[in-house]
């Protein structure tokens, strides 16, 4: 009888019951109908609490708080101006700016809803003022906002790692290229639509008479040189062995002939002269726009850089991101006052509580799933459809796409991850690869009719009907679906970066192909 919990859950969702209550009510009702199951009911709600009581999940509230601080501190406008200075001159320029802004904001928030709200409130009125229809502006905002949970930091990847026991760092790294591909694909679609729909022509827009405090000027001055020197240092470390500047000792460790601090100092000087040479080619206003974006854009660099170097874990990185956001907003940009902190903490606490309640309810729901033998039944059914892994991946993409239309990504991952993940790992799909397939697919579902959450947020921000936005977003959804299938059937797209960073758990002697596509049953 417990197998009826899923149809009941879908009925409760369709009549408008909030997802968190539907996740709890459907198994509770069926358990009570089965008779005296007080211990099972107690276990159900005990799992609700235990599902939220997790150290890795602490990263979620911290990342949300960091994004909220950055948004309250006026970071969104800086990112939009930065994107506008680079891409505003293209045909359909503000649509390109909208997409690039979402890609940049993704490195701060990790949330599609936050992206839609923050970027939409700025870009939709600006696009409408410049000749775009409101439905087009809302559609491109909703479509590009799904990049938020793909490019790290990502809330849903933290949830996936928590549920499936995977490395958060490996999932973060695996999401970089797919997120960029989604953004580039949307830009290509905008360019293809530009002539057909007569999208407004644009010119490079650089905000004039920019003001910047001395503190922010010198912080940006130092950060951009350190970042460029760090990039050059990474290239040096990778190529030093090939040019005879490093060797491998008996323990297998790379030994450099030159002191790395001396090399970094030399590269820092080189970076300074490179930037001074570039400075002469751009206007003063363009440089000021770039400088105002440097400090906010340092956030994802600190998060990923710290994780890769091993300075801190992803959970610790989230706390560091909050500390950095506070320092930047209060002391560098001076865009926040102490009185603003109460509102920021309240908003982030409400958003976090909603997400964690969903996670806890989904964990409790998962308990009933295991009791009903649904995983075994669904596994047997999936494997009976075909013996071809490529066909099964196609079918699972179809299933995830449909699920994403009705269910938020977090609960869907918690419910379906433990069921579907082991099936495809046994078929030879790498766990990190399947994690990206599932995460990107369910993220795109946030912008998919009829119940995509960001469609409703875009409707609220723009004042346009959800049905109208849903029609206008279809070409962009087609691009995102194409990217999903590319990610699915070309593992190297998502797996190259974590492999090169050494986060896939296999050494160079295994080889790239064997590492990303191991034989069935080896993972």
């Amino acid at each position: 009888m417990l197998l009826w919990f899923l149809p009941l859950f879908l009925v409760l969702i369709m009549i408008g019951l909030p997802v968190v209550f539907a996740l709890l009510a459907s198994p509770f009702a069926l358990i009570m109908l089965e008779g005296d199951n007080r211990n099972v009911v107690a276990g159900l709600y005990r799992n609700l609490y235990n599902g939220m009581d997790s150290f890795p999940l602490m990263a979620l509230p911290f990342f949300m708080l960091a994004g909220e601080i950055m948004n309250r501190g006026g970071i969104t406008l800086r990112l939009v101006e930065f994107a506008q200075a680079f891409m505003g001159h293209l045909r359909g320029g503000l649509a390109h700016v909208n997409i690039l802004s979402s890609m940049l904001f993704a490195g701060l928030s990790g949330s599609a809803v936050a992206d839609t709200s923050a970027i939409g409130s700025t870009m939709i009125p600006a696009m409408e003022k410049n000749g775009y229809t409101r439905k087009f502006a809302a559609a491109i905002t909703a479509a590009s906002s799904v990049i938020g949970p793909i490019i790290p930091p990502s809330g849903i990847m933290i949830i996936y790692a928590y549920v499936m026991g995977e490395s958060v760092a490996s999932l973060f790294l695996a999401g970089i290229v797919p997120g960029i591909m989604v953004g580039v694909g949307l830009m290509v679609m905008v360019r293809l639509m530009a002539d057909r729909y007569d999208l407004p022509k644009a010119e490079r827009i650089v905000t004039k008479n920019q003001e910047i405090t001395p503190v922010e000027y010198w912080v940006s001055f130092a950060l951009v040189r350190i970042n460029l020197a760090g990039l050059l240092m990474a290239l040096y470390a990778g190529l030093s062995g090939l040019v005879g500047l490093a060797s491998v000792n008996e323990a297998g460790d790379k030994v450099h002939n030159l002191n790395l601090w001396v090399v970094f100092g030399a590269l820092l000087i080189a970076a300074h002269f490179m930037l001074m040479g570039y400075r002469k080619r751009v206007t003063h206003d363009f440089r000021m726009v770039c400088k105002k974006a440097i400090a906010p854009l340092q956030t994802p660099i600190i998060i990923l850089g710290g994780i890769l170097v091993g300075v801190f874990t992803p959970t610790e990185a989230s706390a560091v991101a909050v500390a950095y956001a506070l320092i930047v907003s209060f002391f560098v940009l001076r865009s926040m006052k102490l009185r603003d902190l109460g509102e920021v903490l309240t908003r982030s606490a409400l958003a976090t509580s909603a997400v964690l309640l969903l996670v806890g309810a989904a964990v409790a729901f998962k308990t009933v799933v295991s009791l009903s033998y649904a995983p075994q039944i669904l596994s047997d059914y999936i494997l009976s459809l075909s013996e071809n892994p490529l066909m099964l991946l196609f079918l699972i993409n179809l299933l995830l796409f449909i699920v994403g239309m009705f269910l938020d990504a977090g609960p869907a991952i918690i419910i379906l991850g433990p069921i579907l993940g082991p099936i495809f790992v046994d078929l030879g799909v790498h766990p990190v690869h399947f994690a990206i397939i599932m995460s990107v697919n369910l993220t795109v579902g946030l912008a998919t009719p009829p119940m995509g959450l960001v469609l409703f947020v875009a409707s609220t921000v723009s004042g346009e009907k959800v049905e109208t936005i849903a029609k206008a977003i279809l070409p962009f959804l087609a691009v995102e679906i194409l990217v999903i299938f590319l990610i699915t059937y070309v593992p190297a797209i998502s797996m190259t970066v974590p492999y090169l960073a050494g986060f896939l758990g296999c050494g160079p002697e295994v080889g790239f192909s064997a590492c990303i596509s191991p034989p069935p049953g080896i993972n």
Side-chain angles (χ1 to χ4, degrees):
M1 185 173 179
L2 280 176
L3 281 175
W4 286 96
F5 71 90
L6 188 56
L8 180 58
F9 167 71
L10 293 175
V11 169
L12 293 175
I13 287 291
M14 284 191 278
I15 64 174
L17 190 69
V19 174
V20 63
F21 297 118
L23 284 168
L24 293 172
S26 53
F28 176 81
L30 290 169
I31 288 172
M32 295 305 293
L33 287 174
E34 288 220 330
D36 187 11
N37 289 286
R38 285 172 294 180
N39 292 332
V40 178
V41 173
L44 181 69
Y45 290 97
R46 186 166 56 249
N47 277 306
L48 170 65
Y49 173 78
N50 291 337
M52 296 182 283
D53 185 22
S54 167
F55 179 74
L57 283 182
M58 287 180 65
L60 279 175
F62 278 120
F63 279 131
M64 286 187 171
L65 178 57
E68 195 65 46
I69 292 170
M70 287 287 190
N71 192 28
R72 185 67 177 83
I75 304 302
T76 305
L77 183 58
R78 290 168 178 261
L79 296 181
V80 170
E81 288 178 349
F82 177 72
Q84 210 163 10
F86 274 94
M87 306 198 71
H89 63 288
L90 300 175
R91 183 69 184 270
L94 285 184
H96 291 294
V97 169
N98 195 321
I99 297 166
L100 182 58
S101 299
S102 293
M103 295 172 71
L104 298 174
F105 195 77
L108 306 180
S109 71
S111 166
V113 173
D115 189 315
T116 307
S117 178
I119 302 296
S121 58
T122 302
M123 289 303 304
I124 292 175
M127 291 178 71
E128 191 175 7
K129 183 179 178 181
N130 280 270
Y132 295 82
T133 62
R134 189 185 302 178
K135 66 178 181 180
F136 180 86
I140 194 63
T141 301
S144 63
S145 69
V146 304
I147 301 171
I150 302 173
I151 293 178
S154 167
I156 64 169
M157 289 183 188
I158 293 171
I159 293 173
Y160 190 99
Y162 160 65
V163 173
M164 301 298 291
E166 295 297 328
S167 163
V168 175
S170 63
L171 298 190
F172 277 7
L173 293 173
I176 295 174
V177 176
I180 293 173
M181 283 184 64
V182 172
V184 172
L186 292 175
M187 290 180 184
V188 171
M189 177 57 71
V190 167
R191 185 62 191 89
L192 293 175
M193 297 173 69
D195 295 326
R196 180 176 178 181
Y197 293 97
D198 195 28
L199 296 182
K201 294 182 179 180
E203 58 184 3
R204 189 183 298 277
I205 302 172
V206 181
T207 307
K208 304 294 183 182
N209 303 318
Q210 292 282 330
E211 293 184 2
I212 187 170
T213 65
V215 173
E216 184 179 357
Y217 179 92
W218 289 109
V219 167
S220 301
F221 181 92
L223 285 177
V224 72
R225 282 153 179 79
I226 292 171
N227 288 332
L228 181 55
L231 179 61
L232 295 173
M233 188 70 184
L235 292 173
Y236 168 82
L239 299 175
S240 57
L242 298 176
V243 296
L245 293 175
S247 57
V248 179
N249 61 19
E250 295 179 357
D253 299 322
K254 180 181 278 191
V255 179
H256 292 272
N257 298 341
L258 301 175
N259 185 289
L260 292 181
W261 285 108
V262 173
V263 174
F264 182 75
L267 292 175
L268 194 60
I269 295 172
H272 172 72
F273 283 106
M274 289 170 64
L275 290 168
M276 292 301 289
Y278 178 73
R279 175 178 183 167
K280 299 175 183 178
R281 302 179 184 180
V282 297
T283 65
H284 172 76
D285 289 320
F286 183 83
R287 286 192 294 111
M288 289 302 104
V289 168
C290 294
K291 282 185 180 296
K292 292 178 72 173
I294 292 296
L297 290 177
Q298 193 69 22
T299 307
I301 296 173
I302 290 175
I303 293 169
L304 290 176
I307 294 171
L308 286 174
V309 175
V311 177
F312 37 68
T313 66
T315 304
E316 294 164 346
S318 64
V320 171
V322 171
Y324 178 76
L326 287 171
I327 292 171
V328 168
S329 298
F330 277 103
F331 303 111
V332 178
L333 308 184
R334 296 180 181 177
S335 52
M336 275 185 67
K337 305 294 183 185
L338 195 59
R339 63 175 178 269
D340 299 326
L341 200 54
E343 182 185 350
V344 167
L345 291 172
T346 301
R347 287 171 61 90
S348 62
L350 290 172
T352 299
S353 61
V355 174
L356 290 181
L357 272 174
L358 275 172
V359 172
V363 169
F365 189 84
K366 188 181 74 170
T367 304
V368 179
V369 171
S370 61
L371 290 173
S372 68
Y373 299 102
Q376 294 88 334
I377 296 171
L378 186 57
S379 174
D380 293 340
Y381 176 72
I382 290 174
L383 294 175
S384 70
L385 295 175
S386 174
E387 296 181 357
N388 187 339
L390 299 180
M391 179 57 68
L392 290 176
L393 282 169
F394 175 83
L395 294 174
I396 214 63
N397 271 319
L398 190 61
L399 171 65
L400 292 173
F401 187 74
I402 294 171
V403 169
M405 292 180 182
F406 300 96
L407 193 59
D408 195 30
I413 284 172
I414 294 175
I415 295 166
L416 295 177
I419 299 174
L420 302 176
I423 297 173
F424 286 90
V425 167
D426 287 340
L427 291 172
V429 179
H430 196 284
V432 174
H433 183 207
F434 184 76
I436 296 302
I437 294 171
M438 190 169 192
S439 297
V440 175
N441 210 318
L442 292 172
T443 299
V444 171
L446 293 172
T448 306
M451 296 181 65
L453 184 57
V454 298
L455 293 179
F456 291 93
V457 177
S459 174
T460 302
V461 172
S462 66
E464 195 73 36
K465 292 181 179 180
V466 173
E467 298 84 1
T468 307
I469 300 173
K471 292 179 182 178
I473 204 174
L474 292 179
F476 304 115
L477 284 179
V479 170
E480 291 169 350
I481 292 169
L482 175 62
V483 172
I484 288 172
F485 281 107
L486 286 173
I487 295 168
T488 300
Y489 294 115
V490 186
I493 290 173
S494 55
M495 303 293 280
T496 300
V497 176
Y499 171 77
L500 294 176
F503 278 87
L504 291 188
C506 55
E509 68 279 359
V510 175
F512 180 66
S513 297
C515 183
I516 66 173
S517 300
I522 297 299
N523 294 299

